[in-house]
Amino acid sequence: MWLRKGLFILISVCTLQTAAFSQQSQPVRVSMGKVALTFGLVEAGVPVYSVQFAGKEVVLPSRLGFRINENRSLDSNFEVVKIDTISVDESWKPVLGEVANIRNHYKQLTIHLQQKYRGGVQMNVLFRVFEDGVGFRYSFPIQPNLRFFVVSKEITEFNLTGDHKAFWIPGDFDSNEYLYTTSKLSEVDAWKFPMISPGKRDDNIPDQFSVQTPLMLKTADGLYINIHEAALLNYPAMQLHVNKSNYHLNADLVPDAVGNKAYMRAPASTPWRTIMVSDKATEVLASKMILNLNEPSKLANTSWIKPMKYMGVWWEMQVGKTSWNYTDNLDVRSPKGELKPNGRHGANTENVKRYIDFASKHGIAGLLVEGWNRGWEEWTGDWKEDNFDYVTPYPDFDLEEITSYAKAKGVQMIMHNETGGSATNYERHLDTAYRFMNAIGYNAVKTGYVGKIIPRGEHHDGQWMISHYERVAQKAAQHKVMVNMHEPVRPTGLHRTYPNFIASEAGRGNEWNAFSEGSPPEHETILPFTRLMGGPMDYTPGIFKLRNYAKDAPARQMHTTLAKQLALYITMYSPLQMAADLPENYEAHLDAFQFIKEVGVDWDDTQIVEAEPGDYLTIARNEKGTGKWFIGAITDENARLATVSLSFLKKGVKYVATIYADGEGADWKTNPEAYKIEKFIVDESSVLKLKLANGGGAAISLWPATAEDLKGLNEY
Amino acid sequence: MWLRKGLFILISVCTLQTAAFSQQSQPVRVSMGKVALTFGLVEAGVPVYSVQFAGKEVVLPSRLGFRINENRSLDSNFEVVKIDTISVDESWKPVLGEVANIRNHYKQLTIHLQQKYRGGVQMNVLFRVFEDGVGFRYSFPIQPNLRFFVVSKEITEFNLTGDHKAFWIPGDFDSNEYLYTTSKLSEVDAWKFPMISPGKRDDNIPDQFSVQTPLMLKTADGLYINIHEAALLNYPAMQLHVNKSNYHLNADLVPDAVGNKAYMRAPASTPWRTIMVSDKATEVLASKMILNLNEPSKLANTSWIKPMKYMGVWWEMQVGKTSWNYTDNLDVRSPKGELKPNGRHGANTENVKRYIDFASKHGIAGLLVEGWNRGWEEWTGDWKEDNFDYVTPYPDFDLEEITSYAKAKGVQMIMHNETGGSATNYERHLDTAYRFMNAIGYNAVKTGYVGKIIPRGEHHDGQWMISHYERVAQKAAQHKVMVNMHEPVRPTGLHRTYPNFIASEAGRGNEWNAFSEGSPPEHETILPFTRLMGGPMDYTPGIFKLRNYAKDAPARQMHTTLAKQLALYITMYSPLQMAADLPENYEAHLDAFQFIKEVGVDWDDTQIVEAEPGDYLTIARNEKGTGKWFIGAITDENARLATVSLSFLKKGVKYVATIYADGEGADWKTNPEAYKIEKFIVDESSVLKLKLANGGGAAISLWPATAEDLKGLNEY
């Protein structure tokens, strides 16, 4: 898979890029298209890089390096031993994806550094320069004076050029489910929100000026910059500390239980630090740089990995209609030792069969059932370790009957393994849990990490948990089980390496509209530029009952129109998409539900039609193998006319466009459920004008027209 | 198994025992034989207990209680709601043990306490008063205002009456392998030794005046007091902080990674705190109080649990003759990726077969092989998590051939699972590791915890690891595997509850003489009063080559005579006893090895003939089912004449006594290998006079004499 198409010869003799570079060694420069990367050593042998786009500075000279083993410096006293350059232009096919083929085109610069004194450490920095940005990682070769070491600090800086507009969430080590704030960098304040993660602020957000990645930025002169990481394995997640006075950012690694950052053994590499840059927002969304920086699939056989739509006995718990737990008090038992049911338990056989019936009738492939297994009375909030055993159903969940009923109805059951944050407990049950899934024929699992992590003192985003998520993905792969993780670290493109790690939540999903005051209409226009840069999100769209759904909060409402809920199936990429609402709410709008039934989940091609973070987004996708196209267009709180040229359609072919649009007077706040469905004949010359309501959207399916279609429908 | 032979009525109306007790509530007093326990509330509702022996104060009024959840007080504002008293006199049979029947005879006082204010916590204190001491535990019933809680401090005090002589080791959270110091309480200094456990002193021994239990004490007026705990489950180990000015001790629980002590969920109980007291040292050693305070066996079927002697490919690594690791550098590989052998690897097929041959020839049932599995190059010292997989042998350890060879030779192979402290890694491999043992027919495992614990920040003696040891014992029981743990917390009698948890090291074993300057001759006279109070110790006696055995330290020597090594099989109780030396060293003394071949490991009866901690010890044991007796007598650095009346022998029966004694001029330092073996005819009227050399001992086997014996042997 790994093609080296020949050495790239660095022709342009390096000229001093900035005054900061020392005279000691000549800086080196590599460019691809408009993107250029410069590396050099400044005084005292300090390694420094900078990034330019079309001649403009994007990242000013910024330090590289580490502190290890308490306080040993690996950020100065270096000299350049050797520089290797290669150029790669290859392509590869993702198992599931937004496009069928991905081009991986970059120039690589490997800087071999060594500290100058006796016993000095060898450290390499690998830069890959793409047309849409730069990735770099550190690597430590086998060497006599460094084998095991502990990273106590990563020095990496990203020194920006100004007080850019930033789309950020607080640098919480244990939750990425915050609302995004759009502000200047100088206005970052990680303590402005009530802390979401359980625990103490000193433990989870010690730095008031820290943000998580992907950090989306926009400069005053219209550059879009995205800073994140790729291939986060065996290393803690990187947060960014914002120096509000000079707009310098520096890496801040999530610590472990004793304050260390990472335990390494040479040979070792860090994740890639990524800086995407473009003058078009659409190109940021179209970038495949993060995927390209991940290793190819480790799974030899991936034929069992399938994209899927699914329903869940889930939203009804989120809105308070039923409960995950079977009893309200584990201390109350019948004389025979039986639990006393609370009468509100959602995962009961009859209710599950109702969902199976609906999913089967409408061709929704999968069904998730939460709260099926014992432990939901005391599963989180108390740092309890042995909260679930992952194999024991509640008395009213007839596993055998449900399994055979679903099989007869052609519905694929999906396992639910919530850990409550007790990863140690999950790990010691992994073998048994996955053998159980195989035995009962579940081919996918949703895992969850709600609560404080056990091992106690570890964080969701620290090295131990990063390795845990990988262990789970590996274990699942061994058992041919697909994984959808909730509350893990934000993704970094690992679905390339572990294609069964099909999706994650790892951000503020639609569920927040169920149990809280929710997320504003702009939320879904920011997520693709932030959370989704790293990989598919199980956002759980498709809520049709947009008001009066929350049992204890009748005034609560969704922050979108119904048509926007449909558009999210396209704008929020995932090969695993939930139809999140209740069967009865879909029954009330079967015409609109038709879009959810039909929409694809795996794609040959994707066109980012128009995009502006925080404002709007229109994406068109070509379903894998069917020739059908689907379009989603969304806006923030402001109504908008989206203009969509269909020039991507196959030339000479007439298509039926079914447009699910906001209805007359639709408005997320006052009239969210107004929608209209229209059909037209279109072709590649058509230009759609989609009126999106405040907080609205539009969803469109396009498939080749039959003779009958052509006869019965109007041209657009 | 649990007999309540009727309620004990508290007849003696309680009189005020000490001035400290408040007038608010009458103190209650219970006595058994010479031991008396008094409980009461002093001012402000503070619960207090005291212990007396034959009218003498042993524990002065001492506080009880806790701090929970940061700093909520559970040590005052109590009132007594109810007091229950029962008396129990039952007996039970241990699966393996020093005696065939154990009498459990005590009076129990259950003090139901509740805090006086609204929402006050209910807390019970259960006292059990035995003829040889007092045990007490706290329990928290189901109650409205306390479900999950975190113990931040246990208040329990043991306020002693004077500056007693103490046999103590430092209060290290991660090692119990220190030498014992004999000093006054006021001279306790946990920092006097170089720290043994890896890590920082601030983490592992933060308290300079802390000691571990069992703490053996002797008062100026000849009382022997032993403070320990029983049934340590789901709770951290208790250390004792010594207040050197007033001789008050208080419980100090081992913290977890974030500084908490214990995570509890009502109903919950703590371990028992035990105070043994007697005016005879022999009675302390004979006490079964700790076993009695443990729960009966949780295993329904124990027929597969067998006592055993075993050899090991082990001492040769300890003395530096061979290595555990197969290669000296994992980074050096052949072109095919093979490791480069170091040529010193002990666990190679040929060498293992040599041990199998010897064990088979001499009827030693088991054989342990360390260093058989991959990982020994980088297994500890670097806080590496994934150090072993527990199933992959080194290339030169032919698992299949060894398994079938051992089977053919009638030798039971013993598994070795060293964790290097990485308990998380072991837990995630437990299922696989124990299924592997079953598959290859290993029925016992030696586990090990050398190194800093992972989960990082946890300690060997903290709650997480306490529960880990229990999980391992449970998992082993599910697979019918016996467990011998090295480097766990000190035992607390759990071999009653988990009879397959057959032995532990958990103290300074014989191995220290191999790789360090060793332990002085008194060491083995202290261990039975300290480490062994909680359960069997895998001390690994039987070293015959007492000098010039350590490859890199030719001047090093053992601190016993050869005869004392034999005596240890009796004085150091374990149903699992190693014949620790190399086959060639036994070949050189096959006459003395005869004792090891013959000595029992499971007993119908045990007589503690004479004992003084730090000075001497003589024990006689009656082998289970055979009628044979074995005697071990040891002394410290001082020569001694041990007088042993054989009155315990069966009346009217003549026995052959084979006496393995120190030879002429024997002396641990100058002439350790001098021994003589003599046989005599003895009976219950005989009184043996055993001359023990400096650092010496004697071992005796006694079995019914045949007519031929009577003809050929002299009377003693």
Side-chain angles (χ1 to χ4, degrees):
Chain A
M1 302 282 273
W2 183 251
L3 303 176
R4 295 188 172 189
K5 291 210 172 162
L7 287 181
F8 165 71
I9 313 292
L10 192 66
I11 298 171
S12 60
V13 173
C14 314
T15 52
L16 218 56
Q17 289 303 304
T18 85
F21 288 114
S22 132
Q23 300 300 330
Q24 299 170 17
S25 71
Q26 287 289 81
V28 289
R29 186 169 188 277
V30 174
S31 63
M32 277 281 281
K34 298 176 182 171
V35 176
L37 173 281
T38 307
F39 171 87
L41 293 175
V42 292
E43 274 173 30
V46 169
V48 166
Y49 78 100
S50 63
V51 176
Q52 300 82 33
F53 181 83
K56 292 181 197 168
E57 294 297 329
V58 175
V59 179
L60 299 170
S62 297
R63 297 186 66 156
L64 298 163
F66 297 89
R67 297 274 194 287
I68 63 168
N69 301 350
E70 315 269 320
N71 203 17
R72 185 172 163 196
S73 279
L74 295 190
D75 63 341
S76 59
N77 285 305
F78 280 108
E79 57 191 358
V80 175
V81 175
K82 190 175 64 158
I83 296 179
D84 298 325
T85 58
I86 57 168
S87 178
V88 171
D89 191 353
E90 62 180 8
S91 72
W92 58 279
K93 289 180 187 300
V95 176
L96 306 173
E98 295 179 89
V99 295
N101 283 283
I102 293 177
R103 185 182 181 193
N104 186 22
H105 183 202
Y106 63 86
K107 292 173 184 167
Q108 178 171 298
L109 198 59
T110 305
I111 317 285
H112 298 263
L113 299 171
Q114 180 153 20
Q115 287 185 311
K116 282 178 280 190
Y117 48 82
R118 189 180 159 81
V121 164
Q122 298 167 36
M123 178 178 87
N124 302 336
V125 188
L126 281 76
F127 292 98
R128 288 191 185 163
V129 184
F130 299 82
E131 288 184 359
D132 50 5
V134 172
F136 64 91
R137 82 185 327 170
Y138 303 89
S139 78
F140 296 88
I142 293 174
Q143 53 191 294
N145 297 310
L146 191 76
R147 181 170 277 180
F148 285 93
F149 61 102
V150 176
V151 174
S152 51
K153 184 172 174 55
E154 182 177 325
I155 303 292
T156 310
E157 294 174 344
F158 305 87
N159 294 337
L160 303 175
T161 59
D163 196 8
H164 305 330
K165 178 158 91 169
F167 301 84
W168 60 269
I169 56 175
D172 188 322
F173 301 157
D174 288 280
S175 179
N176 36 40
E177 301 197 14
Y178 287 86
L179 273 180
Y180 286 89
T181 298
T182 307
S183 79
K184 293 187 172 181
L185 276 171
S186 61
E187 292 162 356
V188 160
D189 179 359
W191 296 350
K192 100 175 220 201
F193 295 96
M195 194 170 83
I196 286 178
S197 61
K200 296 177 191 165
R201 198 173 70 184
D202 285 352
D203 294 334
N204 299 5
I205 319 180
D207 178 4
Q208 185 177 1
F209 306 112
S210 62
V211 299
Q212 295 186 46
T213 70
L215 174 65
M216 186 67 210
L217 301 160
K218 188 177 183 185
T219 69
D221 54 358
L223 281 190
Y224 297 87
I225 303 169
N226 187 285
I227 300 177
H228 189 35
E229 59 184 316
L232 173 56
L233 291 171
N234 193 26
Y235 201 80
M238 177 180 70
Q239 313 240 23
L240 297 172
H241 169 80
V242 180
N243 186 325
K244 294 163 57 147
S245 61
N246 60 8
Y247 327 123
H248 290 189
L249 312 180
N250 60 267
D252 197 5
L253 303 176
V254 175
D256 83 340
V258 300
N260 289 327
K261 302 300 169 52
Y263 300 85
M264 310 288 276
R265 196 278 194 202
S269 295
T270 69
W272 294 91
R273 280 66 189 90
T274 63
I275 303 158
M276 240 172 253
V277 56
S278 176
D279 48 12
K280 296 189 186 66
T282 53
E283 288 186 351
V284 173
L285 295 184
S287 174
K288 296 291 171 282
M289 192 173 100
I290 285 175
L291 270 179
N292 279 326
L293 289 170
N294 277 270
E295 295 295 312
S297 172
K298 290 195 174 184
L299 313 186
N301 172 8
T302 57
S303 62
W304 52 275
I305 298 170
K306 306 287 186 196
M308 179 167 43
K309 281 174 282 189
Y310 73 106
M311 295 186 70
V313 181
W314 173 76
W315 187 255
E316 60 182 72
M317 285 86 118
Q318 296 289 354
V319 299
K321 192 182 156 205
T322 60
S323 67
W324 282 272
N325 46 309
Y326 172 79
T327 177
D328 289 340
N329 191 340
L330 281 184
D331 293 334
V332 177
R333 302 260 174 174
S334 77
K336 286 182 185 171
E338 291 160 340
L339 297 170
K340 185 184 166 199
N342 64 11
R344 296 180 297 110
H345 181 230
N348 66 75
T349 306
E350 189 186 351
N351 195 36
V352 172
K353 286 166 85 169
R354 189 169 70 90
Y355 278 79
I356 292 173
D357 288 342
F358 183 89
S360 176
K361 182 175 172 189
H362 294 283
I364 303 295
L367 178 62
L368 168 77
V369 182
E370 297 203 352
W372 69 276
N373 59 326
R374 281 179 189 261
W376 287 92
E377 289 76 16
E378 297 177 353
W379 64 287
T380 194
D382 297 299
W383 241 359
K384 177 181 176 177
E385 182 153 5
D386 298 327
N387 44 13
F388 294 108
D389 74 2
Y390 302 98
V391 296
T392 307
Y394 277 125
D396 61 345
F397 183 89
D398 187 331
L399 179 72
E400 205 169 312
E401 184 174 345
I402 288 166
T403 302
S404 63
Y405 191 81
K407 196 172 174 188
K409 291 271 186 171
V411 172
Q412 175 63 58
M413 297 298 291
I414 298 173
M415 176 51 67
H416 186 227
N417 284 353
E418 172 62 47
T419 70
S422 181
T424 47
N425 183 55
Y426 191 37
E427 289 204 0
R428 68 177 72 105
H429 287 91
L430 271 188
D431 273 341
T432 302
Y434 284 80
R435 274 188 268 129
F436 177 69
M437 289 177 218
N438 287 163
I440 61 175
Y442 285 42
N443 71 350
V445 61
K446 172 183 171 180
T447 62
Y449 298 90
V450 172
K452 290 172 85 171
I453 293 297
I454 304 177
R456 295 189 183 95
E458 298 291 345
H459 294 287
H460 285 73
D461 295 355
Q463 185 186 25
W464 200 92
M465 285 301 293
I466 301 303
S467 294
H468 168 82
Y469 306 130
E470 186 183 11
R471 283 191 285 270
V472 170
Q474 288 171 333
K475 176 68 69 179
Q478 287 162 18
H479 289 267
K480 298 193 173 175
V481 169
M482 294 178 280
V483 182
N484 166 24
M485 291 194 197
H486 280 227
E487 303 88 25
V489 71
R490 58 268 189 193
T492 58
L494 288 172
H495 51 300
R496 179 178 182 190
T497 309
Y498 296 108
N500 68 310
F501 189 175
I502 194 167
S504 294
E505 182 187 43
R508 190 179 178 90
N510 220 3
E511 67 185 24
W512 281 82
N513 292 299
F515 56 69
S516 78
E517 289 318 304
S519 311
E522 69 169 8
H523 185 59
E524 293 95 347
T525 71
I526 300 172
L527 280 172
F529 289 92
T530 51
R531 160 63 186 81
L532 277 88
M533 294 307 295
M537 180 169 182
D538 186 31
Y539 187 70
T540 70
I543 300 304
F544 278 15
K545 187 169 175 61
L546 298 157
R547 295 197 279 201
N548 197 26
Y549 49 82
K551 183 163 175 285
D552 298 322
R556 185 169 297 163
Q557 65 173 99
M558 303 294 290
H559 296 73
T560 73
T561 63
L562 191 147
K564 184 171 174 181
Q565 287 289 324
L566 296 179
L568 295 176
Y569 286 85
I570 301 301
T571 60
M572 213 72 87
Y573 169 66
S574 178
L576 179 79
Q577 285 283 23
M578 192 173 204
D581 212 340
L582 312 180
E584 55 268 37
N585 297 337
Y586 289 138
E587 295 278 11
H589 302 285
L590 283 176
D591 56 351
F593 187 65
Q594 190 65 25
F595 181 81
I596 298 178
K597 290 170 65 168
E598 290 174 359
V599 66
V601 277
D602 193 25
W603 313 100
D604 272 333
D605 192 19
T606 285
Q607 298 287 329
I608 313 295
V609 177
E610 52 176 10
E612 180 63 25
D615 292 342
Y616 58 84
L617 175 59
T618 302
I619 298 180
R621 301 192 195 268
N622 184 204
E623 191 180 25
K624 193 169 277 179
T626 68
K628 292 182 186 175
W629 284 82
F630 295 87
I631 300 172
I634 62 171
T635 183
D636 61 3
E637 68 282 6
N638 302 310
R640 185 166 189 278
L641 186 69
T643 304
V644 184
S645 160
L646 301 184
S647 58
F648 46 75
L649 291 181
K650 199 167 178 181
K651 308 233 175 303
V653 177
K654 298 285 185 187
Y655 290 77
V656 175
T658 307
I659 303 176
Y660 301 77
D662 290 323
E664 287 307 310
D667 181 290
W668 73 269
K669 189 160 186 61
T670 60
N671 189 17
E673 289 174 18
Y675 64 92
K676 60 181 175 192
I677 303 171
E678 294 177 299
K679 293 187 189 225
F680 300 98
I681 299 297
V682 297
D683 61 22
E684 89 275 6
S685 68
S686 306
V687 177
L688 304 182
K689 302 280 188 183
L690 304 171
K691 285 174 67 176
L692 313 181
N694 297 334
I700 304 167
S701 64
L702 296 133
W703 63 80
T706 63
E708 197 175 345
D709 291 332
L710 292 171
K711 210 159 54 184
L713 294 174
N714 295 329
E715 297 263 342
Y716 184 78
Chain B
M1 305 278 273
W2 184 252
L3 303 176
R4 296 188 175 192
K5 292 211 172 160
L7 287 181
F8 164 70
I9 311 294
L10 193 67
I11 297 170
S12 62
V13 172
C14 315
T15 53
L16 217 56
Q17 289 303 306
T18 85
F21 287 113
S22 134
Q23 300 301 331
Q24 298 169 23
S25 71
Q26 288 287 82
V28 288
R29 186 169 189 277
V30 174
S31 63
M32 277 280 280
K34 296 177 182 171
V35 175
L37 173 280
T38 307
F39 171 86
L41 294 174
V42 292
E43 272 174 33
V46 169
V48 165
Y49 78 101
S50 63
V51 177
Q52 300 80 34
F53 180 84
K56 292 181 197 169
E57 293 298 326
V58 175
V59 178
L60 299 170
S62 296
R63 296 185 67 154
L64 297 163
F66 297 89
R67 297 275 194 284
I68 64 168
N69 301 349
E70 315 268 318
N71 203 18
R72 185 170 162 197
S73 279
L74 295 191
D75 62 341
S76 58
N77 284 305
F78 280 108
E79 58 192 356
V80 175
V81 175
K82 191 173 63 157
I83 296 179
D84 297 326
T85 56
I86 56 167
S87 179
V88 171
D89 190 352
E90 62 180 8
S91 72
W92 58 280
K93 289 179 187 300
V95 176
L96 306 173
E98 296 178 88
V99 294
N101 283 282
I102 293 177
R103 184 181 181 192
N104 185 20
H105 183 204
Y106 64 84
K107 293 173 184 168
Q108 176 171 300
L109 198 59
T110 305
I111 316 287
H112 299 263
L113 298 170
Q114 180 153 20
Q115 287 185 311
K116 282 179 278 191
Y117 49 82
R118 190 179 159 84
V121 164
Q122 298 165 35
M123 178 179 86
N124 302 336
V125 187
L126 281 76
F127 291 97
R128 288 192 185 161
V129 184
F130 299 82
E131 288 184 0
D132 50 5
V134 172
F136 63 91
R137 83 187 323 169
Y138 302 89
S139 78
F140 296 88
I142 293 173
Q143 52 191 296
N145 296 311
L146 191 76
R147 181 170 279 182
F148 286 93
F149 61 103
V150 176
V151 174
S152 51
K153 185 172 174 51
E154 182 177 325
I155 303 292
T156 310
E157 294 173 343
F158 305 86
N159 296 335
L160 302 176
T161 58
D163 195 7
H164 305 330
K165 178 158 91 168
F167 300 84
W168 59 270
I169 57 175
D172 188 322
F173 301 157
D174 287 282
S175 178
N176 35 41
E177 300 196 13
Y178 287 86
L179 274 180
Y180 286 90
T181 298
T182 307
S183 79
K184 292 188 172 182
L185 276 172
S186 60
E187 293 161 355
V188 160
D189 179 359
W191 295 350
K192 100 175 220 200
F193 295 97
M195 195 171 82
I196 286 179
S197 61
K200 296 176 191 163
R201 198 174 70 185
D202 284 353
D203 294 334
N204 300 6
I205 319 182
D207 179 3
Q208 184 176 0
F209 307 111
S210 61
V211 298
Q212 296 187 43
T213 70
L215 175 64
M216 187 66 212
L217 301 161
K218 188 177 182 184
T219 69
D221 53 357
L223 281 190
Y224 296 89
I225 302 169
N226 187 285
I227 300 177
H228 189 34
E229 57 184 316
L232 172 57
L233 291 170
N234 193 27
Y235 201 79
M238 176 180 71
Q239 313 241 23
L240 297 173
H241 170 79
V242 180
N243 185 325
K244 293 163 56 147
S245 62
N246 59 9
Y247 325 124
H248 289 188
L249 312 180
N250 60 267
D252 196 5
L253 302 175
V254 175
D256 82 341
V258 300
N260 290 327
K261 303 299 169 53
Y263 300 84
M264 310 287 278
R265 196 277 194 202
S269 293
T270 68
W272 294 91
R273 280 65 188 89
T274 62
I275 303 158
M276 240 172 255
V277 55
S278 176
D279 48 12
K280 297 189 186 67
T282 53
E283 287 186 351
V284 173
L285 295 185
S287 174
K288 295 292 171 282
M289 193 173 100
I290 285 176
L291 271 179
N292 278 326
L293 288 169
N294 276 271
E295 293 296 311
S297 173
K298 290 194 175 186
L299 313 186
N301 172 8
T302 56
S303 62
W304 51 276
I305 298 170
K306 304 288 185 196
M308 179 165 44
K309 279 173 282 187
Y310 73 107
M311 295 186 71
V313 181
W314 174 77
W315 186 255
E316 59 181 74
M317 287 86 117
Q318 296 288 354
V319 297
K321 190 182 157 205
T322 60
S323 67
W324 281 273
N325 46 310
Y326 171 79
T327 176
D328 289 339
N329 191 339
L330 280 184
D331 293 333
V332 176
R333 303 258 176 178
S334 77
K336 286 183 184 168
E338 290 160 341
L339 297 170
K340 184 182 166 202
N342 63 11
R344 297 181 296 108
H345 182 231
N348 67 76
T349 306
E350 189 187 349
N351 195 35
V352 172
K353 286 167 85 170
R354 190 171 68 90
Y355 277 81
I356 292 172
D357 288 339
F358 183 88
S360 176
K361 181 175 171 190
H362 294 284
I364 304 295
L367 177 63
L368 169 77
V369 182
E370 298 205 352
W372 69 277
N373 60 326
R374 280 180 189 262
W376 286 92
E377 288 76 18
E378 298 177 352
W379 65 286
T380 194
D382 297 299
W383 240 357
K384 177 180 176 179
E385 182 154 6
D386 298 327
N387 45 10
F388 295 108
D389 75 2
Y390 302 98
V391 295
T392 308
Y394 277 126
D396 61 344
F397 183 88
D398 187 331
L399 180 70
E400 205 168 311
E401 184 175 344
I402 287 166
T403 301
S404 63
Y405 191 80
K407 196 172 173 188
K409 291 272 185 171
V411 172
Q412 174 64 57
M413 297 298 291
I414 298 174
M415 177 52 67
H416 186 226
N417 283 353
E418 172 60 49
T419 70
S422 181
T424 47
N425 183 57
Y426 190 38
E427 289 204 359
R428 70 176 73 104
H429 288 89
L430 271 188
D431 273 341
T432 302
Y434 283 81
R435 274 189 266 128
F436 178 69
M437 289 177 219
N438 287 162
I440 61 176
Y442 285 42
N443 72 350
V445 61
K446 172 183 171 180
T447 62
Y449 298 91
V450 172
K452 290 172 84 169
I453 292 298
I454 305 178
R456 296 190 182 92
E458 299 290 346
H459 295 286
H460 285 73
D461 295 353
Q463 184 186 27
W464 199 92
M465 285 300 293
I466 300 302
S467 294
H468 167 82
Y469 306 130
E470 186 183 10
R471 284 191 286 270
V472 170
Q474 288 170 335
K475 176 66 70 179
Q478 286 162 18
H479 288 267
K480 297 195 175 174
V481 169
M482 293 177 279
V483 182
N484 166 24
M485 292 195 195
H486 279 227
E487 303 88 27
V489 71
R490 60 265 188 195
T492 57
L494 289 171
H495 51 301
R496 178 179 183 187
T497 308
Y498 296 109
N500 69 310
F501 189 175
I502 194 167
S504 294
E505 183 188 43
R508 189 178 180 91
N510 220 4
E511 67 186 23
W512 282 82
N513 291 299
F515 56 69
S516 79
E517 289 318 303
S519 311
E522 69 170 8
H523 186 58
E524 293 95 347
T525 70
I526 298 173
L527 280 172
F529 288 93
T530 52
R531 159 63 185 82
L532 277 88
M533 294 307 297
M537 179 169 185
D538 186 31
Y539 186 70
T540 72
I543 301 304
F544 277 15
K545 188 172 174 60
L546 297 158
R547 294 197 281 199
N548 198 27
Y549 49 80
K551 183 162 174 286
D552 299 323
R556 186 169 296 162
Q557 67 174 94
M558 303 294 289
H559 297 72
T560 72
T561 63
L562 191 148
K564 184 171 173 180
Q565 287 288 324
L566 297 180
L568 296 176
Y569 286 85
I570 300 302
T571 60
M572 212 72 88
Y573 169 66
S574 177
L576 181 79
Q577 286 284 22
M578 191 174 205
D581 212 338
L582 313 180
E584 55 268 38
N585 297 337
Y586 289 138
E587 297 277 10
H589 301 285
L590 283 177
D591 55 349
F593 188 62
Q594 190 65 25
F595 182 81
I596 298 179
K597 290 170 66 169
E598 288 176 359
V599 67
V601 276
D602 195 24
W603 313 99
D604 271 333
D605 191 19
T606 286
Q607 297 288 328
I608 313 295
V609 177
E610 50 176 10
E612 180 63 27
D615 292 341
Y616 59 83
L617 175 60
T618 302
I619 298 180
R621 301 191 195 270
N622 183 203
E623 191 181 23
K624 194 169 275 179
T626 67
K628 292 182 187 174
W629 284 82
F630 295 87
I631 300 173
I634 62 171
T635 183
D636 61 4
E637 68 280 6
N638 300 311
R640 188 168 186 276
L641 185 71
T643 302
V644 184
S645 160
L646 301 184
S647 57
F648 45 76
L649 292 180
K650 199 167 177 182
K651 308 230 176 303
V653 178
K654 297 285 184 185
Y655 289 76
V656 176
T658 306
I659 303 176
Y660 301 77
D662 290 323
E664 285 309 308
D667 180 291
W668 75 269
K669 192 162 184 60
T670 59
N671 190 17
E673 291 174 17
Y675 63 91
K676 61 181 176 193
I677 304 171
E678 294 177 298
K679 294 191 187 217
F680 300 97
I681 299 298
V682 298
D683 62 22
E684 92 274 6
S685 69
S686 307
V687 177
L688 304 182
K689 302 280 185 181
L690 305 170
K691 284 174 69 176
L692 313 182
N694 297 335
I700 304 167
S701 65
L702 297 134
W703 63 79
T706 63
E708 199 175 346
D709 291 330
L710 291 172
K711 212 160 47 183
L713 295 174
N714 295 329
E715 296 266 338
Y716 183 78

